[in-house]
Amino acid sequence: MPTGRTLIVGVLNVTTDSFSDGGRWLRSEAAIAHGLELAAAGADLVDIGGESTRPGARRVPVEEEQHRVIPVIEALARRGVAVSVDTMNSSTAEAAINAGAVIVNDVSGGLSDPLMTETIIRLDAPFVVSHWRGHSSEMNNKAVYGDVVAEVSGELEYRVAELVVRGVNPDKLMIDPGLGFAKNSEHNWKILGHLERFTRIGLPMMIGASRKRFLGELVPKGAPFEDRDFVSAVTAALAAQAGAWAVRVHDITSTKAALSVVEQWKRGADE
């Protein structure tokens, strides 16, 4: 994958109940076609998930999760698409890596499945560690902070330290502040406004704000989810300006244009 610029990670939900596009790519053929579209539009990585993590979502049996995502990962990897797997299950992570995925993106940071850390160590797989306080059914009740920036960054830094002490290669770790996970709108904006605190952890940082509820508050009430793509692209650009390694988004075209502005802006400042 390219270096020296913020990467674009395209979201591919092979689910029935994801908040913005649940069911749209559930069939393998549709998911593969959309993954190819994301890559052709400029996604550096396609992040494939088979279990929704929206607030209130129910867990999906591991067998069903793998039935949804593994054929898609295999097909896209064969076509030269760089793929990550969005999963909290160690067995799915292992099956995905064996099928051609290059990164494991775990929104629980390895806390949901006690075997995840051991699996990542054995596979020596790149691992995105997100801030997490609990599953979708309970996370809204845990959105309680005195100082959200200090607490989220501190908890994330502590989790990274735990993983490294247990034997995970720190060179294979990336972080994600987990926008929307046990966080309300005010918390999300506070985190975005202080991303320098997270870059100080010293690991590549991914930001996943695309189409989330707090951005939906900036567009007319009742507007389709696609209407959030413009504000999502602006958020991605500001995250890139703040040092994000990658942005995880639904719409590649608007994000690519927004990140091009950031690159030209930086080039102009350097000349």
Side-chain angles (χ1 to χ4, degrees):
M1 286 181 285
T3 58
R5 62 172 175 82
T6 299
L7 302 185
I8 300 175
V9 179
V11 178
L12 179 50
N13 294 315
V14 191
T15 62
T16 59
D17 57 347
S18 291
F19 72 92
S20 76
D21 56 4
R24 195 170 180 184
W25 319 115
L26 187 59
R27 290 190 310 108
S28 291
E29 295 82 359
I32 293 164
H34 187 53
L36 292 171
E37 289 172 356
L38 293 171
D44 299 294
L45 188 71
V46 175
D47 191 40
I48 303 173
E51 178 178 17
S52 173
T53 52
R54 65 173 177 78
R58 294 182 178 181
R59 298 300 311 274
V60 172
V62 175
E63 296 79 11
E64 175 62 22
E65 180 192 34
Q66 293 181 20
H67 174 74
R68 293 175 179 181
V69 303
I70 299 304
V72 180
I73 292 170
E74 288 177 334
L76 291 177
R78 280 199 306 268
R79 289 165 171 80
V81 177
V83 172
S84 60
V85 62
D86 176 4
T87 184
M88 293 182 282
N89 295 308
S90 60
S91 61
T92 302
E94 182 160 8
I97 293 294
N98 290 337
V102 296
I103 293 175
V104 176
N105 176 22
D106 182 351
V107 299
S108 80
L111 291 170
S112 177
D113 184 341
L115 296 179
M116 182 64 86
T117 303
E118 169 190 315
T119 301
I120 293 300
I121 293 170
R122 178 162 43 78
L123 296 173
D124 196 29
F127 189 54
V128 179
V129 184
S130 291
H131 175 265
W132 189 79
R133 284 187 167 183
H135 287 290
S136 297
S137 59
E138 59 186 1
M139 66 181 179
N140 284 345
N141 295 329
K142 298 187 176 184
V144 180
Y145 303 90
D147 182 334
V148 65
V149 175
E151 290 173 52
V152 171
S153 61
E155 290 170 24
L156 189 54
E157 197 163 13
Y158 182 81
R159 181 58 187 152
V160 167
E162 282 186 317
L163 292 169
V164 172
V165 166
R166 289 186 60 183
V168 176
N169 182 351
D171 293 336
K172 295 295 180 76
L173 293 177
M174 294 79 85
I175 58 169
D176 184 335
L179 298 175
F181 291 90
K183 300 168 191 73
N184 61 30
S185 295
E186 181 182 355
H187 299 146
N188 294 328
W189 288 119
K190 281 281 189 182
I191 288 168
L192 286 171
H194 293 84
L195 287 182
E196 75 285 347
R197 177 61 187 85
F198 295 88
T199 60
R200 288 206 300 268
I201 293 174
L203 295 173
M205 176 179 64
M206 183 166 74
I207 296 296
S210 180
R211 294 186 180 177
K212 289 189 174 178
R213 183 180 302 173
F214 76 105
L215 294 183
E217 295 169 0
L218 304 179
V219 301
K221 188 175 182 179
F225 283 103
E226 289 79 4
D227 283 12
R228 302 179 184 182
D229 288 338
F230 175 74
V231 290
S232 297
V234 173
T235 305
L238 291 170
Q241 185 74 18
W245 160 75
V247 289
R248 185 177 181 273
V249 299
H250 296 80
D251 183 68
I252 307 303
T253 302
S254 61
T255 303
K256 187 175 181 180
L259 295 188
S260 295
V261 172
V262 174
E263 291 304 310
Q264 293 298 327
W265 195 295
K266 289 180 179 177
R267 188 171 294 115
D270 291 339
E271 290 176 352

